[in-house]
Amino acid sequence: GARWRARRAGTAGRMFYETRFLDNLAPGAVGGPSTLTDVVPRESGGEQRNIVWSEPRQRYSIGLVHRPQAELEALASFFRIMRGRAHGFRFRDLTDYTVSTTYGQLGTSSLGTGALAYSLYKRYTAAGAHDYRRIRKPVSGTVTVYRNASPVTVGAAPGNIAIDYTTGIVTFVPDATDAISAITQANPGKITTGAAHGLSNGQLVYLDGIAGMTQLNGQVVTVTVVDADEFTIGVNTTAYGAYTSGGTVKLGPQPADVLTWAGDFDVP
């Protein structure tokens, strides 16, 4: 019978609609992840196998035989709006669309890195090995993020988070912030804050908003306390631009923090 096919692909250069493919047709889908592997014969009689795609691509077939006319018309409308393969959309794979905290993690390590933004991942485990799938299309309202097994509130207060359901990016509000008043050109560079920073040796902090020594913006650096207002950052700033003004030290999740999540997701 007639078949309708959809593939998961990149979204560069095309519009991505956040609309999910017709839920009443998705249960009839057959398919899932597919891979591309080059098998190269060797003169010895052995083979070399090369993984071509860094991630599997999802492919599904949906039978259209014996479907009600209303479903066929809805499919035709959806196909025309998406221009076939021109635009992206969401698809719910009913064989794999949810994750628990056992396998849902932020980043591939599930540990804090001092950064504020983290991608959602689902971990697959078999035969003692792991594979990590980045989740780019979580389902709105279903995601709960946990820090050390405690749920994290969505909001604007210190330690809260924002969840981008169109990208799968979770951004933490810093636990604490300090304004920068000076940075030395030295090895290692030294930061002076406008008030007592309250940091400890070995903590990781995120820097941004710095004028002049812009090379430090977006970096995560390691704190070595000098005194209540100063700490070195383990970075050679000798060749960096001279600090002029501004900048903020932001304290986010640390390597001791375990970051997990649970919720539903779609295939892009």
Side-chain angles (χ1 to χ4, degrees):
R3 311 290 287 180
W4 179 87
R5 298 183 185 273
R7 288 189 185 181
R8 174 186 181 274
T11 60
R14 64 190 174 94
M15 183 179 295
F16 199 101
Y17 292 94
E18 290 301 314
T19 301
R20 182 191 291 157
F21 178 75
L22 307 169
D23 281 339
N24 58 336
L25 290 181
V30 176
S34 60
T35 62
L36 181 60
T37 304
D38 283 342
V39 181
V40 182
R42 314 292 277 182
E43 292 183 0
S44 64
E47 296 176 340
Q48 176 177 317
R49 301 193 173 220
N50 302 316
I51 298 173
V52 179
W53 294 341
S54 61
E55 295 183 57
R57 304 177 82 182
Q58 311 291 124
R59 179 169 180 163
Y60 305 88
S61 294
I62 297 176
L64 301 181
V65 177
H66 305 308
R67 294 281 189 180
Q69 184 62 30
E71 291 185 2
L72 297 179
E73 291 176 357
L75 177 59
S77 296
F78 193 91
F79 187 85
R80 291 181 67 88
I81 294 299
M82 299 303 163
R83 297 295 183 187
R85 296 189 297 177
H87 302 303
F89 53 90
R90 291 170 173 259
F91 180 82
R92 169 162 284 192
D93 180 350
L94 292 177
T95 67
D96 187 9
Y97 69 92
T98 190
V99 63
S100 68
T101 54
T102 302
Y103 300 107
Q105 57 190 66
L106 274 61
T108 56
S109 71
S110 77
L111 302 177
T113 64
L116 300 177
Y118 297 83
S119 295
L120 298 176
Y121 280 85
K122 180 175 181 179
R123 186 180 79 255
Y124 297 81
T125 301
H130 305 291
D131 187 58
Y132 300 92
R133 175 184 182 181
R134 183 177 168 187
I135 303 302
R136 294 175 170 85
K137 295 296 176 184
V139 176
S140 181
T142 70
V143 171
T144 302
V145 171
Y146 297 84
R147 186 174 182 177
N148 300 320
S150 296
V152 183
T153 301
V154 174
N160 287 178
I161 56 169
I163 303 172
D164 189 332
Y165 284 98
T166 67
T167 63
I169 300 292
V170 174
T171 303
F172 282 80
V173 178
D175 297 331
T177 61
D178 279 298
I180 296 171
S181 60
I183 308 175
T184 61
Q185 290 173 296
N187 185 20
K190 182 174 66 176
I191 289 179
T192 302
T193 57
H197 51 69
L199 299 171
S200 302
N201 286 335
Q203 284 188 309
L204 303 178
V205 294
Y206 180 84
L207 306 176
D208 69 2
I210 298 168
M213 196 176 287
T214 56
Q215 296 93 333
L216 286 178
N217 287 326
Q219 284 203 44
V220 173
V221 298
T222 303
V223 170
T224 300
V225 174
V226 176
D227 57 34
D229 301 320
E230 297 179 322
F231 59 91
T232 61
I233 59 176
V235 176
N236 184 353
T237 59
T238 304
Y240 287 6
Y243 172 83
T244 57
S245 64
T248 307
V249 177
K250 298 180 178 181
L251 182 66
Q254 300 295 297
D257 291 320
V258 178
L259 307 176
T260 57
W261 72 285
D264 295 350
F265 59 90
D266 292 327
V267 175

